[in-house]
């Protein structure tokens, strides 16, 4: 039981990092992010590969896996940023699908469906952190650091400019900001943290395979943000807690695993629909316009 | 800088499909003036603002700001060079406070760099104080200072227009383009807006506004440009425009 609680808390931490960083992109910068899981995967696979092949010190490997995810994220955003916002969100979804396919088929690197086994635990200056309480403490520290950095970001002029862009991109341009660049930077930072979460996951579970990184994980993270509340930091933290812990507790009802899985999906779906109908701001967040097409420069919009 | 031209527009045309929204428009705006663009609805005035500020690419022609060719530059670059604007349909940031809205006029800000935002907090916080002070001064000017901590979405129509102007004033731009700042504004608020606008040349700013209310235009403008069907049909001092036959015709229609 004790071990199980530690396990739940470690995962909660990982999901808090994912949801909060997704919210920087979704709730603050106002870009629909349906592909956060892709960067979670990139972080996890780069952590695994670096740990197995290059044996870098943990802090370097940790930074590298996050930076790599963030750079891929920034490049992706840069290539898509001029597209209509609806296409952008579709592209993030596509990216999640493509990432899954790449993990499945690029055998020589990812070992395809077999996955990568034997990922070592974490070793920080001789202290070995493999599972249990030590891993929870490390996860808690990294989660706290993530929330702290995101807090500093969103409560700074940087965060204010992101919010302005989310509220009215045309007016943000009119006050001198390079909004395409801001989107690239926000997306890069958000996806970097997803990479950090992936790194922790790979070391904790010690075995990764593509099934963890299907489109479901991106949708789960999106649900955490939307249900908890976009555009706040409390929202995704609460969302991660609720959406991860509650379904886990269902296990105690003694349902067979497959039924449990289905019920979990059902709960996400129902909660999401109910939240949207009852309170589109989520538990604590702001309300995003449903479509961003209206902020695109074009016919009659810039009156 | 008196008597110098802050903006020169040379032969701007803009077609939307078959529609000639602007046809070979050339004009110059003199430094430290309040000038107005007038003309019937659909004459192309807003389209001209949109081409000057980079939101629309002209089909032909050039725009010079302080002697520099800015034709085809993106809106943020033109804004950063010192051309600020308001929009015919008011644009404020609803979920931000009144003060935050105004402070967003300040650009560039060191704290908008994510590294400075997180690692060099002292640096941006110092700058932030100065920016807030400047923004407050402009909120004071438009009479919104006491609403500083309210969300912009809680403001009424007229107050939103004033807030947009406060943001524009906070930009430090030398040329301010206002698209129908008086629409839906009456009485004391209109008077206040007129005072704000006419005080700007003394602050080293040039104002070009689009306006339909002729009493206001005649009172505050030093020079007027008249548009009809995408063409500049007349320009001159208010008293000359008032009696110009082409202008009267454009507004009242051709006499039968
Ligand atoms: N983005 C656009 N696409 C197509 N037509 C436009 C666009 N913007 C303006 N127009 C048309 O151009 C003409 C001039 O419009 P506008 O500049 O808004 O006039 P004004 O501001 O003088 O009332 C109008 O006929 C309008 O319908
Ligand atoms: Mg107009």
């Amino acid at each position: 039981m004790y071990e199980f609680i530690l396990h739940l808390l470690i995962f909660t931490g990982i999901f808090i990092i994912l949801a909060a960083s997704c919210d920087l992109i979704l709730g603050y910068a106002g870009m629909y992010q349906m592909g956060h899981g892709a960067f979670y995967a990139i972080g996890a696979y780069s952590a695994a590969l670096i740990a197995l092949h290059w044996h870098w010190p943990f802090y370097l490997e940790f930074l590298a896996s996050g930076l790599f995810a963030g750079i891929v994220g920034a490049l992706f955003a840069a290539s898509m940023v001029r597209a209509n916002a609806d296409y952008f969100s579709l592209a993030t979804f596509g990216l999640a699908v493509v990432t899954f396919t790449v993990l499945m088929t690029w055998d020589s690197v990812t070992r395809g469906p077999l996955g990568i086994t034997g990922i070592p635990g974490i070793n920080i200056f001789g202290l070995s952190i493999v599972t249990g309480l030590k891993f929870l403490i490390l996860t808690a520290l990294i989660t706290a650091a993530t929330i702290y950095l995101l807090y500093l970001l969103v409560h700074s002029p940087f965060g204010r400019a992101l919010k302005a862009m989310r509220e009215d991109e045309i007016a943000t341009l009119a006050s001198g900001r390079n909004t395409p660049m801001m989107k690239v930077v926000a997306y890069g930072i958000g996806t970097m943290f997803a990479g950090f979460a992936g790194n922790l996951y790979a070391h904790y579970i010690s075995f990764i395979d593509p099934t963890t990184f299907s489109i479901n994980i991106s949708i789960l993270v999106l649900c955490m943000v939307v249900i908890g509340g976009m555009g706040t930091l409390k929202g995704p933290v609460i969302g991660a807690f609720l959406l991860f812990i509650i379904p886990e507790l269902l296990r105690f009802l003694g349902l067979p695993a497959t039924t449990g899985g289905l019920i979990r999906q059902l709960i996400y779906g129902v909660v999401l629909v109910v939240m949207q109908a009852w309170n589109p701001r989520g538990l604590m967040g702001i309300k995003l316009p449903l479509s961003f097409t209206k902020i695109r420069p074009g016919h009659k919009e810039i009156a | 800088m008196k008597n110098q031209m802050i903006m020169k527009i040379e032969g701007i045309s803009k077609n939307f499909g078959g529609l000639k929204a602007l046809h070979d428009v050339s004009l110059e705006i003199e430094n430290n003036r309040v000038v107005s663009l007038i003309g019937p609805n659909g004459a192309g005035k807003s389209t001209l603002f949109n081409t000057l500020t980079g939101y629309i690419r002209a089909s032909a022609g050039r725009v010079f700001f302080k002697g520099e060719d800015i034709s085809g530059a993106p809106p943020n670059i033109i804004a950063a060079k010192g051309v600020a604007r308001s929009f015919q349909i008011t644009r404020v940031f609803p979920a931000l406070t009144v003060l935050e809205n105004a402070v967003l006029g300040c650009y560039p800000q060191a704290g908008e760099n994510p590294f400075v935002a997180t690692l060099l907090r002292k640096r941006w916080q110092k700058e932030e104080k100065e920016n807030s002070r400047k923004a407050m001064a402009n909120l004071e000017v438009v009479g919104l200072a006491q609403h500083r901590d309210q969300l912009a979405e809680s403001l009424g129509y007229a107050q939103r227009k004033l807030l947009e102007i406060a943001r524009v004033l906070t930009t430090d731009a030398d040329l301010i383009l206002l698209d129908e700042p008086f629409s839906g504004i009456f009485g004391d608020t209109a008077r206040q807006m007129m005072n704000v606008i006419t005080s700007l040349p003394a602050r080293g700013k040039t104002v070009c506004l689009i306006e339909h209310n002729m009493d206001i235009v005649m009172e505050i403008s030093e020079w007027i440009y008249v548009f009809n069907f995408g063409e500049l049909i007349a320009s001159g001092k208010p008293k000359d425009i008032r009696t110009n036959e082409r202008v009267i015709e454009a507004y009242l229609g051709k006499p039968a």
Side-chain angles (χ1 to χ4, degrees):
Chain A
M1 189 61 198
Y2 171 67
E3 291 297 323
F4 181 61
I5 289 174
L6 291 182
H7 173 78
L8 288 190
L9 290 176
I10 288 168
F11 262 101
T12 306
I14 289 173
F15 275 112
I16 286 175
I17 297 173
L18 284 172
S21 58
C22 180
D23 192 35
L24 181 73
I25 297 169
L26 177 64
Y28 287 93
M31 308 158 80
Y32 276 82
Q33 167 63 319
M34 299 203 279
H36 218 50
F39 301 94
Y40 184 45
I42 291 171
Y45 272 82
S46 45
L49 294 172
I50 295 173
L52 285 170
H53 298 306
W54 295 338
H55 317 288
W56 290 1
F58 175 68
Y59 67 93
L60 270 187
E61 172 225 288
F62 183 78
L63 287 177
S65 57
L67 280 178
F68 183 57
I71 288 168
V72 174
L75 290 176
F76 167 77
S79 70
M80 286 306 299
V81 83
R82 300 210 176 257
N84 171 310
D86 295 332
Y87 290 117
F88 183 89
S89 60
L90 205 57
T92 63
F93 186 85
L95 184 75
V97 175
V98 167
T99 304
F100 177 76
T101 312
V102 169
L103 298 180
M104 273 295 200
T105 52
W106 195 13
D107 283 339
S108 59
V109 173
T110 66
R111 295 176 38 84
L114 295 177
I116 298 176
T117 53
I119 303 162
I122 291 167
N123 189 308
I124 303 176
F125 306 119
L127 178 67
S128 162
I129 301 172
V130 182
T131 51
L133 189 59
K134 278 190 208 153
F135 206 96
L136 175 59
I137 291 172
L138 178 71
T139 307
L141 288 176
I142 291 173
T143 307
T146 300
I147 296 293
Y148 178 65
L149 283 173
L150 289 174
Y151 178 89
L152 293 183
L153 278 177
V154 302
H155 290 94
S156 72
F158 174 75
R160 180 172 58 207
L162 290 188
K163 288 193 254 179
M165 173 170 75
R166 166 195 88 197
E167 298 284 305
D168 193 325
E169 183 169 355
I170 286 167
T172 310
L173 281 166
S175 36
R177 273 81 181 174
N178 182 347
T179 56
M181 181 56 87
M182 284 163 57
K183 290 180 187 177
V184 170
V185 170
Y187 202 84
I189 294 174
T191 52
M192 174 183 77
F193 283 106
F196 291 144
N199 181 300
L200 284 178
Y201 173 82
H203 283 292
Y204 178 59
I205 294 296
S206 81
F207 161 72
I208 53 174
D209 77 334
T211 54
T212 312
F213 306 105
S214 72
I215 188 71
N216 288 344
I217 190 85
S218 295
I219 292 172
L220 174 58
V221 171
L222 186 68
C223 288
M224 288 171 170
V225 179
V226 172
I227 289 168
M230 294 175 280
T232 64
L233 284 177
K234 272 178 265 166
V237 171
I238 291 171
F241 225 82
L242 290 181
L243 263 68
F244 182 70
I245 296 282
I246 292 177
E248 287 295 325
L249 296 180
L250 284 177
R251 290 182 190 211
F252 292 104
L253 297 177
L255 296 167
T258 45
T259 322
L262 287 176
I263 287 185
R264 185 190 284 225
Q265 302 272 334
L266 201 67
I267 290 178
Y268 296 155
V270 170
V271 172
L272 197 60
V273 170
V274 168
M275 284 307 293
Q276 286 298 309
W278 170 63
N279 182 3
R281 287 160 198 261
L283 293 173
M284 16 230 345
I286 50 108
K287 187 175 175 180
L288 275 187
L290 272 178
S291 167
F292 278 72
T293 36
K294 72 182 179 68
I295 63 172
R296 296 277 309 163
H299 181 75
K300 300 244 175 155
E301 284 132 13
I302 313 159
Chain B
M1 284 269 272
K2 261 244 143 68
N3 298 325
Q4 249 173 296
M5 297 301 166
I6 190 161
M7 184 166 265
K8 288 187 189 176
I9 298 160
E10 288 180 6
I12 288 284
S13 295
K14 177 65 195 177
N15 306 324
F16 291 116
L19 176 82
K20 285 185 176 173
L22 289 173
H23 180 67
D24 196 18
V25 172
S26 297
L27 61 85
E28 301 189 341
I29 299 174
E30 201 174 310
N31 220 349
N32 286 325
R33 299 275 181 214
V34 174
V35 305
S36 295
L37 309 184
I38 65 171
N41 268 323
K45 307 178 298 293
S46 294
T47 303
L48 182 63
F49 269 17
N50 287 339
T51 40
L52 301 183
T53 50
Y55 287 94
I56 290 178
R57 197 176 273 267
S59 314
R62 317 226 130 255
V63 182
F64 297 87
F65 175 62
K66 294 182 179 170
E68 184 185 354
D69 189 346
I70 57 165
S71 337
N76 58 305
I77 299 288
I78 293 175
K81 285 188 191 299
V83 182
R85 68 168 293 181
S86 73
F87 295 87
Q88 188 172 342
I89 297 166
T90 311
R91 289 181 181 273
V92 295
F93 307 112
L96 302 188
T97 66
V98 166
L99 179 59
E100 286 175 315
N101 265 271
V103 169
L104 277 155
C106 297
Y107 183 83
Q109 297 186 24
E112 287 185 10
N113 175 319
F115 291 105
V116 178
T118 46
L119 304 176
L120 300 170
R121 289 170 58 76
K122 284 264 149 45
R123 188 164 139 214
W124 71 256
Q125 280 167 343
K126 208 170 123 212
E127 190 186 75
E128 179 75 7
K129 276 214 188 77
E130 179 55 26
N131 289 344
S132 298
R133 197 198 50 70
K134 208 161 97 189
M136 278 310 292
N138 288 313
L139 288 174
E140 211 68 73
V141 167
V142 302
L144 286 177
Q146 74 273 27
H147 300 290
R148 54 176 287 173
D149 296 320
Q150 255 171 267
L151 295 186
E153 67 191 1
S154 72
L155 298 181
Y157 178 85
Q159 288 179 321
R160 284 183 194 217
K161 294 213 97 146
L162 290 167
L163 178 56
E164 195 184 27
I165 305 263
R167 183 182 74 228
V168 164
L169 295 182
T170 309
T171 58
D172 268 345
D174 301 315
L175 177 60
I176 293 179
L177 309 178
L178 302 175
D179 198 342
E180 302 199 15
F182 292 96
S183 74
I185 304 263
F186 307 98
D188 290 344
T189 317
R191 179 51 59 186
Q192 186 182 4
M193 186 90 83
M194 286 165 78
N195 292 338
V196 171
I197 290 172
T198 49
S199 73
L200 292 174
R203 291 170 65 177
K205 295 177 190 285
T206 307
V207 186
C208 174
L209 63 142
I210 294 174
E211 187 43 51
H212 285 298
N213 183 322
M214 280 309 133
D215 294 336
I216 294 177
V217 169
M218 294 299 164
E219 182 174 338
I220 68 177
S221 320
E222 295 169 78
W223 198 261
I224 297 174
Y225 304 90
V226 190
F227 286 78
N228 198 18
F229 295 115
E231 292 188 53
L232 179 64
I233 58 167
S235 70
K237 294 211 166 79
K239 65 173 170 30
D240 301 326
I241 293 297
R242 206 193 292 271
T243 52
N244 184 305
E245 267 172 33
R246 289 192 72 186
V247 177
I248 295 167
E249 198 176 280
Y251 271 89
L252 303 178
K254 258 192 174 61

